[in-house]
Amino acid sequence: MELSDFKIMLGLSDENKESDSLLQLIIKNTELSLRFKLGLKADEDIPSELSYIPLEVAIRRFNRVRNEGMTSYSQEGESITFSNNDFDAFESDIEEYKRRNNSDGLLYTIDPYRRYDV
C-alpha cells in the first residue's frame, strides 16, 4: 500500500509530513496482520485480489487512534462504535481467497469405492 493513497483517503495533502511516521506504522502493522491471516511467508506479496484490504483496514485503524481499547465513543451528540477486529468485514473475502488458493501443498483425493454409512 502506498502512503500517498492512504493520505488521499484520509484527506491529507502530500505536503503534510507531520503524521507520516504514524501512517507508515499503521500501514506496516496492517500489512503484517493480513500476511499472518493469509499464511504468507515474509518474502510473499499480498495477492492483488486482496490489495484493497490493507488500505480499508488502515483507515479504520487511523480513525481509532487515541481511542484504543474503546468499543464506542460519544461526544456532543456524535456517537462512534468500533469493531472488535478491523478485519471482520473482510473475513469472508480472506476465507474465500484461502479456499480458492489452497496452498498447504496437500493433494486431496476421493476414494470412489469407500462406503459412507448414512
Side-chain angles (χ1 to χ4, degrees):
M1 169 182 18
E2 297 292 325
L3 177 61
S4 60
D5 292 343
F6 192 19
K7 289 175 98 170
I8 288 169
M9 289 290 284
L10 294 173
L12 300 173
S13 70
D14 260 349
E15 291 80 38
N16 181 349
K17 304 288 183 197
E18 66 186 55
S19 59
D20 283 4
S21 60
L22 172 63
L23 299 178
Q24 289 285 17
L25 181 60
I26 291 171
I27 289 170
K28 176 184 157 195
N29 286 341
T30 301
E31 289 179 344
L32 287 172
S33 293
L34 183 56
R35 285 177 183 287
F36 177 77
K37 290 181 176 299
L38 292 171
L40 298 176
K41 295 180 176 89
D43 61 342
E44 291 180 298
D45 291 331
I46 292 172
S48 60
E49 299 95 329
L50 300 178
S51 62
Y52 65 95
I53 294 176
L55 179 59
E56 296 293 330
V57 171
I59 290 167
R60 293 168 191 218
R61 178 64 190 99
F62 176 81
N63 288 332
R64 209 176 57 246
V65 169
R66 292 184 205 69
N67 295 312
E68 287 84 359
M70 291 186 184
T71 55
S72 64
Y73 171 81
S74 185
Q75 180 179 352
E76 298 179 11
E78 179 184 26
S79 180
I80 301 171
T81 303
F82 301 111
S83 175
N84 290 335
N85 181 344
D86 294 328
F87 285 92
D88 281 349
F90 307 101
E91 198 61 40
S92 63
D93 294 347
I94 292 168
E95 289 304 316
E96 179 64 17
Y97 175 83
K98 287 166 66 174
R99 186 188 67 74
R100 289 183 185 178
N101 298 283
N102 185 2
S103 60
D104 60 7
L106 297 176
L107 174 63
Y108 295 95
T109 61
I110 298 172
D111 182 354
Y113 300 107
R114 180 176 176 192
R115 296 193 80 176
Y116 294 93
D117 295 327
V118 182

